[in-house]
Amino acid sequence: MMSSLIVALIPPGRVPDHVCAAHNAAVKLGRRYITQADSPENIFVALLGLHQRVYLVIDGLDEATRIPDVLDSLLSISQTSQNLTLMVFSRDVPCINKRLSHAVHINLTPESTKPDIDKYVHDEIDKLEIPEMTPHIKEHATRFLQDRANGMFLWATLMVDSLRASTSEQNFADTMADVPTGLTDLWLRGIHQLWQKSSNMRGLARQTILWVCTAFVPLQWSELQCALALDLQAPNFLPERKPFLQVTLDLCSPFVSYDITSQTIRPVHPSFHDFIFGCEVQDIAQLPERAFFCSKPEAHRMLSLHCLTYLTQAYSAHSNLIEQPLTRYACLWWTKHLLATEPCQELADAAETFLSLHRRAWILHFLVWEKTTYPLHILARYHTDLLNWSSHNSSMFNLTLDLASVIIDINKMRLHQRTTAFPYLDPLQQLAHSMTYFDNMMVARDLARLLTQANQLPPGISLFESALADQSTYSGTPDAPDSVWLLNVLGLLYDQQSLTEKATSIQERALAIQSTHLGVTHPETVWTQNELGRMYRHQSRYAEAETMHLTALHTLRSLLPDPNQQSHSPEIAWTSSTLARVYRKQHNPAASLPHLTSALKTRTHLIGPTHPHSLWLLSDIAQCHYELGDFDFAERYHREAMAGRTEVLGLEHPDTLWSLNNLGVVLAAKAVATSTGDGVARDRWRDEAEEMQRRAYEAQKKVLGVAHPHTVWTRDVLSTIPPAVGPLQSVLAPSQN
């Protein structure tokens, strides 16, 4: 929404300097589209200053996605801007009411809206171009509709449309004699009229209504057209089956609205969405039109099945469906539709067939199309949810190695090299190129962790070593700039294998190539400097690590001289957090805290407080407080991190178990600190500390194995817990690199 508002406020014929500066800064860092990292709210506020007064009217806020984020942002701006007046129209929704409790409210009741509806009905009836209609009939129709509208503007509009469509005086009189008593009655009569159509028209109307009411985002007509043309029983998609726009709109006009500007179709009113899913109709099973109604889970089942069928056909050999509009929606949303329904064999079979044949193609599209900074976390969550939905059918997907292969192919596409694995993906070349070096590094870092947790590091490393050899052959030299990203990834993977010397050597090689071909201040060089800083930290070469991170930080700040851009930069936040870990290793938590705090503020703004990357920083902040002796703050932040990880990652995720370890250490330290004071509190903290470590140990044995370093660490800690908790005082939980 913010990007649309920015466009609306740009003066005609002239792009303001600050918008150009924001664009140029984003381009320097490799971004091709506006993101939260570009501080769109600040750009919007600066544009407000170019206008004497701005009136912003938001209609139907209750129908928007991410309502709290949108409303919080706009309210914050309106409270600090002197020339912005904000007006919001919405149904009675708690999350909106809470945020607008301080604002002036106008409750639209039937009584308050009656004058406007009366005027509308009068004017529209008066404009009816029916020569045979006498003034007396017009006056009677006007009063009749005015008396029965009961505050429902939509009802009045649809009734006027019905009268306008009258074919004779008798038809006009029949419409007046049998008007619906409300929206539910109006919807039901419209469905009844659809039922009188031919079977083909009924089928088209039913599919249109289900797609429009069930889709997670408003569909463009081109997307809906493809969805309506799909035949689940046909082996191939036939473009000639696409329905005509006007025919579809005329057929479903009482129920859907079409926006010409955005070319999107959506329900004409939220009440129709509730109606079609059976919330307002009694005895649906007795109605002949019952085929038009279904439960929400059933609607999601149908859409998921359609998406899977469409994608299966799209990814088939020699298919041009990959370029069709529905491919993007189907790719991004089929899993959410599936997870919104109950497990059934037909859908499970369709999902398993699709994933067994085309999961790599799907993962590639998902990573390129999902416009978030950390798409692997979404895929990892889908992986877990799909396994749970299918009762842990492990053949659903092999996420980690598939991801490794796909990421290698994305890199080839980014370098504009054809990949034989996906010869039909040429339309994605530009999208893949729009992924910044930072995006690719974040994907690689998350992949390294996933491979480690799945015990698949060796085959993952083999894939990237083969890719590096292929790249060297393709480039004609082992030290070509195009090899650097693969070197970075291999450095991450070697580090996960604890091959620190090898990881350091390969990152130094990457930095030498970039320094020669790109220069030490190039944005891509920054990430090798950061990775090399991490490796120096692991080798206890703290001065060299600090130099690397400070150099990277200086480069990023010079590329983004605006303090507002710096405070919203994920690149600067990441670099600050890695520098903070160097200070912690140097036993200087006081120097570490400001960097961690600013990085957490940025990440919370960009990706939310419960994203795994935000929770890493929260855990680091808790550790700093522990090292400073601020045990109460340390406990508070570790509990927040543990709650967030439990919610987002699950009870048995290694990160959640780290939080249990860390919290146990802090509670033990609190017990030791009160050893001569409150005995009840001391014993309570000591008992809870032991409980945390035991919970972590049992889960680590199950998830990581008895020989894993974290499991061994927890076992050793438990063996030191006697009735007195003194031995726990100096224990530190395993650090997260």
Side-chain angles (χ1 to χ4, degrees):
M1 179 183 288
M2 193 58 67
S3 58
S4 300
L5 294 176
I6 288 173
V7 172
L9 286 182
I10 293 177
R14 181 177 68 86
V15 178
D17 291 342
H18 73 276
V19 177
C20 291
H23 172 264
N24 292 337
V27 169
K28 287 179 183 177
L29 294 172
R31 291 196 289 271
R32 299 291 187 271
Y33 51 88
I34 191 168
T35 69
Q36 281 298 112
D38 298 304
S39 307
E41 291 86 358
N42 293 328
I43 297 175
F44 177 74
V45 169
L47 285 169
L48 287 176
L50 302 178
H51 302 270
Q52 185 175 359
R53 170 64 59 180
V54 174
Y55 297 92
L56 178 56
V57 180
I58 302 178
D59 189 18
L61 180 62
D62 55 297
E63 300 176 45
T65 56
R66 299 178 61 193
I67 293 174
D69 293 341
V70 171
L71 191 52
D72 288 345
S73 179
L74 290 174
L75 286 176
S76 175
I77 293 172
S78 67
Q79 290 167 3
T80 57
S81 300
Q82 301 299 316
N83 63 334
L84 175 64
T85 300
L86 180 64
M87 179 178 289
V88 174
F89 291 87
S90 170
R91 288 189 295 174
D92 191 9
V93 177
C95 72
I96 295 177
N97 291 342
K98 180 180 178 181
R99 286 167 170 77
L100 295 177
S101 59
H102 65 284
V104 176
H105 284 69
I106 300 176
N107 293 319
L108 300 181
T109 63
E111 293 76 20
S112 64
T113 58
K114 182 173 174 53
D116 291 325
I117 294 177
D118 287 352
K119 184 177 187 308
Y120 168 79
V121 170
H122 176 273
D123 293 347
E124 292 300 311
I125 295 293
D126 190 56
K127 288 189 292 187
L128 290 179
E129 297 179 357
I130 304 177
E132 295 82 3
M133 185 179 294
T134 65
H136 174 73
I137 293 177
K138 282 190 175 183
E139 183 180 350
H140 172 68
T142 298
R143 287 201 307 270
F144 189 83
L145 294 185
Q146 288 173 341
D147 291 343
R148 285 161 176 76
N150 194 31
M152 293 179 288
F153 197 98
L154 177 63
W155 182 91
T157 302
L158 294 175
M159 288 308 305
V160 169
D161 289 343
S162 297
L163 294 177
R164 189 180 289 114
S166 297
T167 58
S168 65
E169 184 176 346
Q170 182 61 51
N171 183 227
F172 187 93
D174 291 344
T175 301
M176 291 287 294
D178 191 27
V179 297
T181 56
L183 286 178
T184 298
D185 193 18
L186 182 66
W187 304 140
L188 194 56
R189 293 188 186 201
I191 293 294
H192 180 71
Q193 290 175 3
L194 281 179
W195 187 251
Q196 310 307 314
K197 305 286 185 181
S198 67
S199 60
N200 284 341
M201 297 297 273
R202 286 201 304 266
L204 175 61
R206 181 174 183 270
Q207 287 289 83
T208 301
I209 289 169
L210 281 181
W211 270 94
V212 170
C213 290
T214 311
F216 286 108
V217 295
L219 294 169
Q220 290 192 320
W221 166 245
S222 58
E223 295 175 315
L224 180 60
Q225 194 180 31
C226 287
L228 298 175
L230 182 67
D231 183 351
L232 294 180
Q233 307 306 318
N236 298 303
F237 178 83
L238 300 176
E240 54 268 28
R241 295 188 75 251
K242 292 181 180 180
F244 298 124
L245 171 61
Q246 198 56 53
V247 171
T248 306
L249 292 180
D250 290 344
L251 182 65
C252 303
S253 59
F255 312 119
V256 302
S257 63
Y258 177 65
D259 182 77
I260 297 177
T261 303
S262 64
Q263 299 184 2
T264 55
I265 295 185
R266 62 184 73 210
V268 71
H269 193 265
S271 63
F272 180 68
H273 177 277
D274 298 335
F275 166 83
I276 207 65
F277 291 126
C279 300
E280 308 292 339
V281 183
Q282 302 296 321
D283 300 323
I284 289 177
Q286 308 304 316
L287 298 175
E289 307 93 338
R290 58 184 175 274
F292 277 94
F293 301 90
C294 71
S295 65
K296 276 190 178 181
E298 173 61 16
H300 283 296
R301 185 194 70 82
M302 294 178 63
L303 261 65
S304 182
L305 195 58
H306 275 72
C307 287
L308 285 167
T309 302
Y310 187 89
L311 289 173
T312 299
Q313 295 181 4
Y315 293 137
S316 298
H318 311 300
S319 171
N320 66 349
L321 256 191
I322 201 70
E323 302 180 42
Q324 293 289 345
L326 186 62
T327 307
R328 185 177 187 275
Y329 180 89
C331 172
L332 292 177
W333 296 103
W334 75 265
T335 45
K336 290 203 68 174
H337 284 301
L338 180 144
L339 295 170
T341 188
E342 295 297 321
C344 69
Q345 195 60 48
E346 180 187 23
L347 190 53
D349 290 345
E352 185 173 353
T353 299
F354 169 69
L355 289 171
S356 65
L357 296 174
H358 306 296
R359 61 177 175 266
R360 280 183 58 189
W362 168 61
I363 291 171
L364 189 150
H365 274 91
F366 187 92
L367 291 177
V368 172
W369 275 329
E370 177 59 42
K371 297 300 183 184
T372 59
T373 306
Y374 306 104
L376 254 64
H377 285 288
I378 300 175
L379 271 178
R381 188 69 188 188
Y382 282 163
H383 180 220
T384 301
D385 291 343
L386 283 171
L387 290 177
N388 291 335
W389 183 89
S390 62
S391 300
H392 296 275
N393 181 355
S394 59
S395 62
M396 272 275 187
F397 284 53
N398 182 4
L399 178 69
T400 49
L401 292 181
D402 287 331
L403 278 172
S405 299
V406 166
I407 289 169
I408 290 169
D409 281 298
I410 289 178
N411 185 59
K412 290 180 180 179
M413 293 169 62
R414 188 175 63 87
L415 299 173
H416 298 287
Q417 297 173 12
R418 179 176 297 276
T419 164
T420 56
F422 303 105
Y424 46 79
L425 291 184
D426 286 344
L428 282 184
Q429 292 280 357
Q430 186 175 356
L431 282 171
H433 188 65
S434 72
M435 294 179 69
T436 69
Y437 205 84
F438 174 74
D439 293 334
N440 282 284
M441 286 303 299
M442 294 303 100
V443 167
R445 289 183 59 81
D446 288 339
L447 174 65
R449 290 175 59 81
L450 289 172
L451 287 169
T452 302
Q453 292 164 11
N455 294 318
Q456 290 185 318
L457 267 176
I461 288 174
S462 294
L463 281 172
F464 279 92
E465 287 176 337
S466 296
L468 180 61
D470 292 342
Q471 182 61 54
S472 298
T473 301
Y474 183 90
S475 303
T477 172
D479 292 330
D482 290 347
S483 299
V484 168
W485 183 78
L486 293 170
L487 293 172
N488 289 152
V489 177
L490 281 169
L492 287 167
L493 299 181
Y494 292 147
D495 181 37
Q496 289 289 317
Q497 271 197 323
S498 299
L499 300 174
T500 309
E501 295 291 341
K502 192 172 184 179
T504 303
S505 176
I506 206 166
Q507 298 292 10
E508 288 175 336
R509 175 182 163 193
L511 183 59
I513 295 172
Q514 287 177 317
S515 299
T516 299
H517 294 276
L518 301 177
V520 294
T521 60
H522 192 277
E524 293 184 8
T525 308
V526 163
W527 300 113
T528 304
Q529 291 167 342
N530 273 330
E531 290 307 317
L532 197 50
R534 287 181 60 253
M535 298 319 306
Y536 289 155
R537 185 180 82 233
H538 294 172
Q539 294 176 312
S540 302
R541 298 161 62 180
Y542 301 130
E544 294 169 274
E546 182 180 359
T547 298
M548 283 292 165
H549 294 315
L550 286 173
T551 300
L553 199 56
H554 175 76
T555 298
L556 290 170
R557 285 173 175 166
S558 66
L559 292 171
L560 299 172
D562 185 341
N564 286 324
Q565 292 177 330
Q566 292 181 12
S567 66
H568 289 79
S569 166
E571 296 90 351
I572 288 178
W574 188 269
T575 305
S576 294
S577 67
T578 54
L579 176 62
R581 288 185 170 179
V582 175
Y583 292 142
R584 272 194 58 210
K585 286 292 186 179
Q586 291 175 309
H587 307 292
N588 192 358
S592 180
L593 264 178
H595 291 282
L596 291 171
T597 303
S598 66
L600 179 61
K601 183 178 180 181
T602 299
R603 280 197 196 161
T604 300
H605 174 76
L606 296 176
I607 56 179
T610 59
H611 190 282
H613 286 214
S614 299
L615 295 173
W616 291 347
L617 290 178
L618 187 62
S619 181
D620 281 352
I621 289 173
Q623 285 297 91
C624 283
H625 282 290
Y626 169 77
E627 291 162 17
L628 288 167
D630 300 330
F631 298 144
D632 289 339
F633 279 112
E635 178 187 358
R636 169 188 163 187
Y637 293 133
H638 274 314
R639 288 192 187 278
E640 288 181 20
M642 185 175 70
R645 285 169 167 169
T646 300
E647 176 187 352
V648 175
L649 302 174
L651 284 168
E652 295 184 344
H653 191 278
D655 286 1
T656 308
L657 304 182
W658 267 317
S659 287
L660 284 171
N661 287 141
N662 284 325
L663 183 56
V665 169
V666 172
L667 292 171
K670 290 184 72 171
V672 170
T674 57
S675 58
T676 59
D678 186 347
V680 174
R682 178 194 63 213
D683 292 343
R684 184 179 71 249
W685 286 325
R686 183 260 176 214
D687 292 344
E688 190 177 2
E690 182 178 5
E691 178 193 354
M692 294 293 146
Q693 302 296 2
R694 290 198 183 281
R695 284 172 54 190
Y697 180 59
E698 293 303 322
Q700 285 165 341
K701 285 194 298 182
K702 175 182 175 183
V703 175
L704 303 175
V706 294
H708 191 278
H710 294 165
T711 311
V712 173
W713 181 92
T714 309
R715 183 197 64 204
D716 292 345
V717 168
L718 283 168
S719 69
T720 67
I721 301 181
V725 296
L728 285 178
Q729 186 174 15
S730 61
V731 170
L732 284 175
S735 62
Q736 298 176 46
N737 294 322

